[in-house]
Amino acid sequence: VADIRLSRAARTTRHRISATSRNMASTMAFSVSATASTKRVDLAASKSSGFVGARVRAATPARATKSAATFAVRADGDERLRLHNLSPLPGSRKKPTRKGRGYGAGQGGTCGYGMRGQNARSGPGSRPGFEGGQTPMFRRFPKLKGIAGGMGAGKPKYVTVNVADIAAAVASAKLDAGAEVSIETLKSAGVVKATGYYRNLPLKVLGDGEMSSGGVTVAATAFSETAIAKIEAAGGSVKMVPKKVKWSREAAKAAAAASA
């Protein structure tokens, strides 16, 4: 019985020793594999960063703060730039080429004008815009009509109204028959709409339509002959308003000298 117990205890001890040795072996294998993987990661990091050795950490640079810079531009020395010491920058001005001053000028035997042609001869060359006989650009391009095309004569000089419009405004009680009809009263009654470019233009009465009977005094800068005849035939009268004199420096100086 004693031998049996001793054999069982020996087997148990052997089993425990073998289990302990297996645990230690697995722990050592894990630590070796972890160390190898760490070394591989360090090596990969060092290869990607361009260094051999420990891992490299990139530090984020501090953000630059904006600061207003003030400086004074000066000419030569401590002298500040003024109207009397201004000068062009070096290289911005180039001397014109001196034509026909010999071979030393650098243009060769024909002085840069070429061998033949109208512009190589003496006297005036081709006029500005000439393209050798073909249709020039200013004739090829389409033109705008009227004022947009440069026709200054087409710009309106007056705010126009017909005698028929005045008669209709008087009949509808927009205008008082006994009061004077002017550009101000026509604007307030809504007969004419003088806005924008037309707001400073004078009034001109045209003779389209018929004037109803009744004495109406019309004040305007210009009248057509037909409008005058129709207004006077209806018992009214016309009043000429002088045109506004265009301001000029000479006229203003003369007026100031006359008042002084």
Side-chain angles (χ1 to χ4, degrees):
V1 176
D3 294 336
I4 293 172
R5 290 178 179 177
L6 286 174
S7 61
R8 288 180 179 176
R11 284 197 300 271
T12 304
T13 304
R14 283 198 302 272
H15 285 308
R16 289 178 180 177
I17 292 173
S18 62
T20 304
S21 62
R22 283 196 300 270
N23 292 336
M24 291 179 64
S26 62
T27 303
M28 290 178 65
F30 178 76
S31 62
V32 169
S33 63
T35 305
S37 62
T38 305
K39 288 183 178 181
R40 284 196 297 269
V41 171
D42 292 343
L43 181 60
S46 64
K47 286 183 179 179
S48 63
S49 61
F51 294 92
V52 178
R55 299 176 65 181
V56 178
R57 293 182 179 180
T60 304
R63 297 182 63 182
T65 58
K66 295 182 179 180
S67 59
T70 58
F71 58 93
V73 179
R74 299 183 181 277
D76 298 335
D78 294 334
E79 188 178 6
R80 291 178 63 85
L81 286 176
R82 292 292 185 266
L83 291 177
H84 67 276
N85 59 14
L86 291 177
S87 61
L89 294 175
S92 62
R93 299 286 183 171
K94 185 179 179 181
K95 291 183 179 180
T97 304
R98 301 177 71 240
K99 299 284 189 177
R101 294 301 181 267
Y103 287 96
Q107 292 95 27
T110 57
C111 305
Y113 288 105
M115 293 293 291
R116 289 173 295 277
Q118 182 179 3
N119 292 328
R121 266 65 175 185
S122 62
S126 58
R127 59 177 173 78
F130 183 70
E131 299 182 10
Q134 69 179 12
T135 305
M137 183 177 63
F138 65 89
R139 289 178 56 192
R140 292 196 304 267
F141 285 5
K143 311 299 188 298
L144 297 175
K145 294 182 179 180
I147 303 169
M151 303 293 290
K155 299 181 72 174
K157 306 296 190 302
Y158 299 96
V159 176
T160 58
V161 64
N162 289 288
V163 292
D165 299 330
I166 298 176
V170 172
S172 60
K174 290 183 179 180
L175 295 174
D176 189 5
E180 182 180 276
V181 178
S182 62
I183 188 170
E184 288 79 12
T185 58
L186 292 173
K187 286 181 181 179
S188 61
V191 179
V192 295
K193 295 181 180 180
T195 59
Y197 171 78
Y198 298 88
R199 67 184 185 277
N200 295 324
L201 296 181
L203 178 66
K204 183 176 182 178
V205 182
L206 304 178
D208 189 12
E210 296 296 331
M211 192 70 180
S212 61
S213 60
V216 178
T217 303
V218 182
T221 304
F223 294 86
S224 65
E225 294 181 0
T226 308
I228 294 175
K230 289 183 179 181
I231 291 173
E232 290 179 350
S237 61
V238 297
K239 179 180 179 181
M240 299 297 296
V241 178
K243 195 173 182 180
K244 184 179 179 181
V245 180
K246 186 177 180 180
W247 184 90
S248 63
R249 187 173 285 104
E250 291 77 9
K253 287 182 180 179
S259 61

